[in-house]
Amino acid sequence: VAKEVAKLLELKAQLGGDEGKHKFVLKTPKGTRDYSPKQMAIRERVFNAIVACFKRHGAEVIDTPVFELKETLTGKYGEDSKLIYDLKDQGGELLSLRYDLTVPFARYLAMNKITNIKRYHIAKVYRRDNPAMTRGRYREFYQCDFDIAGQFDPMIPDAECLKIVHEILSDLQLGDFLVKVNDRRILDGMFAVCGVPDSKFRTICSSVDKLDKMPWEEVRSEMVGEKGLSPEAADRIGEYVQLHGGLDLIERLLQDPKLSQNKLAKEGLGDMKLLFEYLTLFGITGKISFDLSLARGLDYYTGVIFEAVLLQQENAHVEESVSVGSVAGGGRYDGLVGMFDPKGRKVPCVGVSIGIERIFSILEQRVEASEEKIRTTETQVLVASAQKKLLEERLKLVSELWDAGIKAEVLYKKNPKLLNQLQYCEETGIPLVAIVGEQELKDGVVKLRVVATREEVNVGRESLVEEIRMRTSRP
Amino acid sequence: VAKEVAKLLELKAQLGGDEGKHKFVLKTPKGTRDYSPKQMAIRERVFNAIVACFKRHGAEVIDTPVFELKETLTGKYGEDSKLIYDLKDQGGELLSLRYDLTVPFARYLAMNKITNIKRYHIAKVYRRDNPAMTRGRYREFYQCDFDIAGQFDPMIPDAECLKIVHEILSDLQLGDFLVKVNDRRILDGMFAVCGVPDSKFRTICSSVDKLDKMPWEEVRSEMVGEKGLSPEAADRIGEYVQLHGGLDLIERLLQDPKLSQNKLAKEGLGDMKLLFEYLTLFGITGKISFDLSLARGLDYYTGVIFEAVLLQQENAHVEESVSVGSVAGGGRYDGLVGMFDPKGRKVPCVGVSIGIERIFSILEQRVEASEEKIRTTETQVLVASAQKKLLEERLKLVSELWDAGIKAEVLYKKNPKLLNQLQYCEETGIPLVAIVGEQELKDGVVKLRVVATREEVNVGRESLVEEIRMRTSRP
């Protein structure tokens, strides 16, 4: 026994010795995950709905590398820059993983001197953030971006971006939602008339951005305590940021004795009014709220900003287990392309980014709850045999079907049992079985079995492809 | 003037001073590229053909993160490990970008204790190689992998992988191709009977792998000079590696007095015979060559290996400008999953990887040469107006069309000229224009113009959607 124990201890030391220093960890990196076939099936549904919408609006598609020169990303994200993943210096260029798709898009436009494009881009981005994976917050996650670049008449592309958010969130049936809209110029004008010094605009804007997560009192004490704003200025801001509404509020603020005197605020409010007129034509103002507390974190916005939030889950059970934040956001960034152009030439841009991971979390939980069975393959028919020694015949038939464009499988066994073959169809949702046997081969037919009904018919070999197509075409 | 010159010199120093140290470079990282909308359109055609084939064979799809724990990739790629991109240590785990999709797949199987799956995975992989972008060799490139994992009867999944290569290369109409097939066991048996010491198997295998790029004489002198193999052993290898053929060659080697005495070689040859029997059933032996010079670089192969090469271009002009190497490769790797399993449990695997970038290079050059016009959007109709002040009517109509699922655009101008609107359709290939005007609005109709023929018809507003659908449905 002592000898056995010694042996085991030695083995243990080999496996987990040195306080696990050499222990091999079988996992994906922190904040990332694999997608299983079932998850991919759900993900593809979501992507299909989003791509269909982007294409409906006439967008082209581009792709950019997963990493950029480090300097391309420098100075674009403000405080968030610390979350950028850098690559190791292995000799050569200094590289970073992309943090969003907007900065690479602006780099692409400047590099190729493109002044006019409507494009979408669906790809993964990387942020060394604190992951909260149950709420759909990852370090590697997809963004689905749609942007319109070019010099156009005011607010028409901006309105289309909001229409797109509305279409996608409606299509995906995620429950009730609200799109909050504001304008950086209105915010800056508001800060000015409230007595915020110019130098504090961006940092006070960051504080306002926290209003969706903390109460006004806390935001106010951050402004006054940490950021040194006068209590009077903070209180004036407090009055504005609780306002939200529609055209009526815009009209009221256009008459506001202080705001209407500020050039930026006036411009922003004028454009906001125009935006709401277009949104009225699109019939979507019911879910849009002009909200003075919306600030958005990123530095590069220059005009309209917006963010879509889900209001509540249809299903009370789901609501408890997933708490989702914003599912889409975007805005106008007229200065970003100019930051890349050697001559500083500007290309006005407006765009929207759909946050797919949160949407995916909701849909995944919904599928789990509903016990809906999701197929992970599209196989139309399994080529099977009832007797032994028919592997060659099965391979010949499945090959014929593949060549005819039929989605078909065989089991990779020389002599599988018919029961196992039928079970495989039940498990994977294959609707038809094409059974070859001695008699069928002699008669030049194949026995076609409908898995759901167990109905069987003999089909002439020459009409098998047509029969399978007919029986598996979607209604 | 002197003052001006000083000023200019100062500016120059600011821009390009310190030998360009601070000059901002507007480019993508070395060995990477953006995909323009036109390139994306070609890329999607290729992906669609490949995915259709994978689905036809009943594959599920998975996805894994772009980076893995560094240790996951360690010890899997032999000499190529130096080409792996590492991430900077920013506190936390040490990470590397994936080098292929096979190792992450094996990690996924072991981690989730999956012993049986047929899956595809299309994603970018990263290699710090010397890029040769004109030949389609990049540092960031797509791989399209199809793998079958599980304990099955011999050579059935292996044969299916070759069938898939055959289907894809035929579908894509890339010209004539050849799939070379060999087996690591035949190679190892051959090395043994030629008198190569066990310890030199892998390094001599690497030398054999270079036979597609250099003549035998050079490979021989590498074996003898650099790797210390005896000249006699090298010459014996030289006789074998020039052999290639089909079932006849396999039969001959099964009778070979030396090879037939080697257990590994005999096993490999027996399986190769079975493989060719299945390939005969699939009707594809015409393009498959059993080739004793095929070695494949990667360490993890344990059985059948294969590689597809394009033989020549249909178009002589294209042949000159693109020189493509292998376009697909793969093989059996029965030990890789076991390297990740804590108990070393093996899951036999065989798979194929399609090298999309080279295929894409060929198709792109072919499109360039043919001057084929590729549409980058799918827009069915442009909503236009002939008179001024109809922006609101255009927005209302385009919104109706979007809501009905029609792919539609408007120009983002208040008062665009009809000519500009028609020109936009010509440039982007939009087939229809829906024109609203004062008269049409009064009559409750829309003027539908066919761009190609200039034919115009008035269509009642209520039947517009149906009319557009009918006129733009594919034949």
Side-chain angles (χ1 to χ4, degrees):
Chain A
V1 171
K3 208 173 145 192
E4 279 297 312
V5 169
K7 213 164 144 189
L8 282 170
L9 281 173
E10 197 193 331
L11 275 171
K12 199 187 156 199
Q14 277 173 21
L15 285 168
D18 297 318
E19 278 125 67
K21 208 174 107 192
H22 295 296
K23 207 173 123 195
F24 179 78
V25 187
L26 195 57
K27 69 186 281 292
T28 61
K30 186 179 175 187
T32 69
R33 59 171 161 179
D34 299 314
Y35 277 83
S36 70
K38 204 169 144 189
Q39 290 171 317
M40 286 297 281
I42 300 171
R43 197 175 96 177
E44 289 197 349
R45 278 190 202 175
V46 180
F47 280 157
N48 288 345
I50 291 172
V51 168
C53 177
F54 291 164
K55 287 191 172 177
R56 199 156 58 232
H57 287 261
E60 305 180 291
V61 57
I62 69 160
D63 194 19
T64 66
V66 80
F67 41 60
E68 295 278 346
L69 297 185
K70 187 174 164 58
E71 60 181 336
T72 298
L73 307 190
T74 303
K76 310 297 187 304
Y77 301 106
E79 288 174 18
D80 287 351
S81 295
K82 63 181 184 297
L83 303 180
I84 293 173
Y85 277 97
D86 292 327
L87 270 75
K88 191 170 150 186
D89 182 0
Q90 293 171 290
E93 301 160 332
L94 292 180
L95 307 174
S96 300
L97 297 185
R98 62 184 162 211
Y99 183 83
D100 65 8
L101 302 178
T102 310
V103 169
F105 175 55
R107 192 265 308 145
Y108 173 79
L109 295 186
M111 192 173 134
N112 297 287
K113 300 190 173 57
I114 296 167
T115 55
N116 197 326
I117 192 173
K118 176 163 58 180
R119 80 88 182 81
Y120 71 92
H121 188 187
I122 296 184
K124 287 174 177 176
V125 301
Y126 298 88
R127 300 186 183 178
R128 294 178 56 252
D129 215 336
N130 251 345
M133 317 224 286
T134 49
R135 286 190 290 148
R137 202 164 78 208
Y138 291 86
R139 289 182 159 198
E140 174 187 61
F141 59 98
Y142 267 98
Q143 285 197 334
C144 306
D145 280 25
F146 172 98
D147 293 80
I148 300 170
Q151 186 68 58
F152 300 114
D153 282 328
M155 308 317 282
I156 314 177
D158 313 60
E160 184 167 7
C161 287
L162 289 166
K163 176 81 170 95
I164 281 174
V165 173
H166 194 278
E167 284 179 24
I168 289 173
L169 295 183
S170 305
D171 269 12
L172 290 173
Q173 299 179 285
L174 298 166
D176 206 7
F177 63 88
L178 185 72
V179 189
K180 299 179 189 173
V181 184
N182 199 359
D183 192 298
R184 274 283 165 88
R185 292 167 297 173
I186 300 177
L187 277 169
D188 285 354
M190 175 183 89
F191 293 145
V193 304
C194 290
V196 179
D198 283 15
S199 61
K200 288 201 161 74
F201 274 18
R202 282 282 78 78
T203 185
I204 293 301
C205 192
S206 293
S207 298
V208 170
D209 190 42
K210 295 175 184 162
L211 275 171
D212 55 342
K213 282 164 210 127
M214 42 167 100
W216 165 248
E217 276 315 312
E218 275 178 53
V219 171
R220 183 185 180 280
S221 72
E222 180 182 299
M223 287 177 174
V224 176
E226 285 173 42
K227 302 193 168 170
L229 191 66
S230 74
E232 298 75 29
D235 290 336
R236 276 179 228 124
I237 292 173
E239 279 172 41
Y240 281 115
V241 294
Q242 58 185 292
L243 300 175
H244 51 89
L247 262 176
D248 49 337
L249 176 61
I250 300 167
E251 297 285 7
R252 185 144 60 88
L253 290 177
L254 274 169
Q255 308 303 323
D256 182 281
K258 281 180 293 175
L259 271 187
S260 61
Q261 296 310 306
N262 181 285
K263 190 172 162 284
L264 271 180
K266 218 176 140 189
E267 257 181 50
L269 286 166
D271 277 349
M272 190 60 69
K273 190 177 163 195
L274 194 56
L275 178 68
F276 267 76
E277 284 165 11
Y278 295 154
L279 299 180
T280 307
L281 293 170
F282 290 160
I284 59 172
T285 45
K287 294 199 186 296
I288 315 267
S289 168
F290 170 45
D291 188 325
L292 282 161
S293 75
L294 178 72
R296 302 277 298 156
L298 294 170
D299 270 7
Y300 50 62
Y301 292 117
T302 54
V304 164
I305 47 178
F306 51 86
E307 198 165 293
V309 291
L310 298 184
L311 287 185
Q312 61 175 74
Q313 290 306 308
E314 289 166 349
N315 183 326
H317 171 72
V318 172
E319 188 185 12
E320 278 175 67
S321 46
V322 213
S323 138
V324 291
S326 91
V327 289
R332 179 162 282 283
Y333 50 101
D334 288 348
L336 192 57
V337 178
M339 288 174 78
F340 289 108
D341 189 278
K343 293 182 184 160
R345 279 166 299 209
K346 289 190 175 183
V347 178
C349 295
V350 63
V352 53
S353 184
I354 311 289
I356 200 71
E357 307 296 339
R358 284 169 178 178
I359 292 173
F360 174 76
S361 284
I362 297 166
L363 293 181
E364 197 183 6
Q365 298 229 8
R366 193 180 290 176
V367 167
E368 291 295 329
S370 75
E371 290 172 40
E372 178 193 352
K373 229 188 161 184
I374 290 197
R375 278 199 74 181
T376 54
T377 69
E378 298 174 13
T379 309
Q380 296 165 286
V381 62
L382 181 79
V383 173
S385 60
Q387 297 116 329
K388 289 192 173 183
K389 295 196 182 167
L390 287 170
L391 172 62
E392 303 202 342
E393 291 300 335
R394 281 191 290 134
L395 292 182
K396 236 157 84 179
L397 179 56
V398 77
S399 177
E400 277 173 39
L401 294 176
W402 287 331
D403 293 342
I406 299 290
K407 296 175 188 122
E409 291 183 65
V410 295
L411 293 198
Y412 303 123
K413 291 193 70 105
K414 278 182 91 151
N415 296 308
K417 290 184 182 137
L418 185 60
L419 189 67
N420 291 345
Q421 297 175 85
L422 296 177
Q423 235 159 20
Y424 182 77
C425 293
E426 300 270 7
E427 281 161 18
T428 62
I430 300 176
L432 298 173
V433 194
I435 304 170
V436 289
E438 301 291 356
Q439 191 57 47
E440 286 84 1
L441 285 168
K442 263 184 221 154
D443 299 347
V445 298
V446 169
K447 190 179 280 169
L448 198 63
R449 179 184 168 112
V450 180
V451 176
T453 61
R454 300 180 186 188
E455 170 203 356
E456 292 186 345
V457 281
N458 280 340
V459 178
R461 192 109 173 185
E462 70 294 344
S463 48
L464 181 63
V465 167
E466 201 37 59
E467 186 72 24
I468 293 170
R469 262 196 209 125
M470 202 196 67
R471 285 175 179 268
T472 53
S473 69
R474 301 224 178 105
Chain B
V1 171
K3 208 174 147 193
E4 279 298 310
V5 168
K7 213 165 148 191
L8 283 170
L9 282 173
E10 197 193 334
L11 274 172
K12 200 186 155 198
Q14 277 172 21
L15 285 168
D18 297 317
E19 279 123 64
K21 210 173 106 192
H22 294 296
K23 207 172 125 195
F24 179 75
V25 187
L26 196 57
K27 68 186 281 292
T28 61
K30 186 179 175 189
T32 69
R33 61 172 159 178
D34 298 315
Y35 277 83
S36 70
K38 204 170 145 190
Q39 291 172 316
M40 287 297 282
I42 301 171
R43 195 174 98 177
E44 289 197 348
R45 277 190 202 177
V46 181
F47 280 156
N48 288 344
I50 291 172
V51 169
C53 177
F54 291 163
K55 288 192 171 176
R56 200 156 59 234
H57 288 260
E60 305 180 292
V61 58
I62 70 161
D63 194 18
T64 66
V66 80
F67 41 61
E68 295 278 345
L69 297 186
K70 187 175 165 57
E71 58 180 338
T72 299
L73 306 191
T74 303
K76 309 298 185 304
Y77 301 106
E79 289 174 16
D80 288 352
S81 295
K82 62 180 184 298
L83 304 181
I84 293 174
Y85 277 97
D86 291 328
L87 270 75
K88 191 169 152 187
D89 182 1
Q90 293 171 290
E93 301 159 331
L94 292 180
L95 307 174
S96 301
L97 297 186
R98 62 184 162 211
Y99 182 83
D100 65 9
L101 302 177
T102 311
V103 169
F105 175 54
R107 192 265 308 145
Y108 173 79
L109 295 187
M111 192 173 134
N112 296 286
K113 299 190 174 56
I114 295 167
T115 56
N116 197 326
I117 192 173
K118 176 163 59 181
R119 80 90 182 80
Y120 71 92
H121 188 187
I122 296 184
K124 288 175 176 176
V125 301
Y126 298 87
R127 301 187 182 176
R128 294 178 54 253
D129 215 336
N130 252 345
M133 318 224 285
T134 49
R135 288 190 290 149
R137 203 163 77 209
Y138 291 85
R139 289 183 159 198
E140 173 186 63
F141 59 98
Y142 266 99
Q143 286 198 332
C144 306
D145 280 26
F146 173 98
D147 293 80
I148 300 171
Q151 188 69 58
F152 300 114
D153 283 328
M155 308 317 283
I156 314 178
D158 313 60
E160 185 167 5
C161 287
L162 289 166
K163 175 80 171 96
I164 281 174
V165 174
H166 193 279
E167 283 179 26
I168 290 173
L169 295 183
S170 305
D171 270 13
L172 291 173
Q173 298 180 287
L174 298 165
D176 206 8
F177 62 88
L178 185 73
V179 188
K180 299 178 190 173
V181 183
N182 199 1
D183 192 298
R184 274 283 164 89
R185 291 165 299 170
I186 300 176
L187 277 169
D188 284 354
M190 176 182 88
F191 293 145
V193 305
C194 291
V196 179
D198 284 16
S199 61
K200 288 202 160 74
F201 275 18
R202 282 282 78 77
T203 184
I204 293 301
C205 191
S206 293
S207 297
V208 169
D209 190 43
K210 293 175 185 164
L211 274 172
D212 56 341
K213 280 165 213 129
M214 41 167 101
W216 165 248
E217 277 314 313
E218 276 178 52
V219 171
R220 185 185 179 279
S221 71
E222 180 182 299
M223 288 176 174
V224 177
E226 285 173 41
K227 302 193 169 170
L229 190 66
S230 72
E232 298 74 30
D235 289 336
R236 277 179 227 123
I237 292 174
E239 279 171 41
Y240 281 116
V241 295
Q242 55 183 294
L243 301 175
H244 51 90
L247 262 176
D248 49 337
L249 176 62
I250 300 168
E251 297 285 7
R252 187 144 59 89
L253 291 177
L254 276 168
Q255 308 303 322
D256 182 279
K258 283 179 293 174
L259 271 187
S260 60
Q261 296 309 306
N262 181 283
K263 190 172 162 285
L264 271 180
K266 221 176 136 187
E267 257 182 50
L269 286 165
D271 277 350
M272 190 60 70
K273 191 179 162 193
L274 194 57
L275 178 68
F276 266 76
E277 285 164 12
Y278 295 155
L279 299 180
T280 307
L281 293 170
F282 289 162
I284 59 172
T285 45
K287 295 200 187 295
I288 315 266
S289 169
F290 170 44
D291 188 326
L292 283 160
S293 74
L294 178 72
R296 302 279 297 157
L298 294 170
D299 270 7
Y300 50 62
Y301 292 117
T302 55
V304 164
I305 48 177
F306 51 86
E307 198 165 292
V309 291
L310 298 185
L311 288 185
Q312 58 175 75
Q313 290 304 311
E314 288 166 351
N315 183 325
H317 171 72
V318 172
E319 188 185 12
E320 278 175 69
S321 45
V322 212
S323 138
V324 290
S326 89
V327 289
R332 178 162 282 284
Y333 49 101
D334 289 348
L336 192 57
V337 178
M339 288 174 76
F340 290 108
D341 189 277
K343 291 180 185 162
R345 279 167 300 208
K346 288 189 175 183
V347 178
C349 295
V350 63
V352 54
S353 183
I354 310 288
I356 199 72
E357 306 298 339
R358 286 167 176 179
I359 292 173
F360 173 76
S361 283
I362 297 166
L363 293 182
E364 197 184 8
Q365 298 230 6
R366 193 181 289 177
V367 166
E368 291 294 331
S370 76
E371 290 171 39
E372 178 194 352
K373 229 188 161 182
I374 290 195
R375 278 198 74 180
T376 54
T377 69
E378 298 176 12
T379 309
Q380 296 165 286
V381 61
L382 181 79
V383 174
S385 60
Q387 296 117 329
K388 289 193 172 183
K389 295 196 182 166
L390 287 170
L391 172 63
E392 303 202 341
E393 292 299 334
R394 282 191 290 134
L395 291 182
K396 235 157 86 180
L397 180 56
V398 77
S399 177
E400 277 174 41
L401 294 176
W402 288 329
D403 292 343
I406 298 289
K407 297 176 187 119
E409 292 183 65
V410 294
L411 294 198
Y412 304 123
K413 291 193 70 107
K414 281 183 90 152
N415 296 309
K417 289 183 183 139
L418 185 60
L419 190 66
N420 291 346
Q421 297 176 87
L422 296 177
Q423 234 159 20
Y424 183 77
C425 293
E426 300 270 7
E427 280 160 19
T428 61
I430 300 175
L432 298 173
V433 194
I435 304 170
V436 288
E438 301 291 357
Q439 192 56 47
E440 286 84 2
L441 285 167
K442 262 183 221 153
D443 299 347
V445 298
V446 169
K447 189 179 283 172
L448 198 63
R449 180 185 167 111
V450 180
V451 176
T453 61
R454 299 179 185 187
E455 169 203 356
E456 292 186 346
V457 280
N458 279 341
V459 179
R461 193 112 175 181
E462 70 294 344
S463 48
L464 181 63
V465 166
E466 202 37 59
E467 186 71 23
I468 293 171
R469 264 196 208 125
M470 204 196 64
R471 287 177 178 267
T472 52
S473 70
R474 300 226 178 105

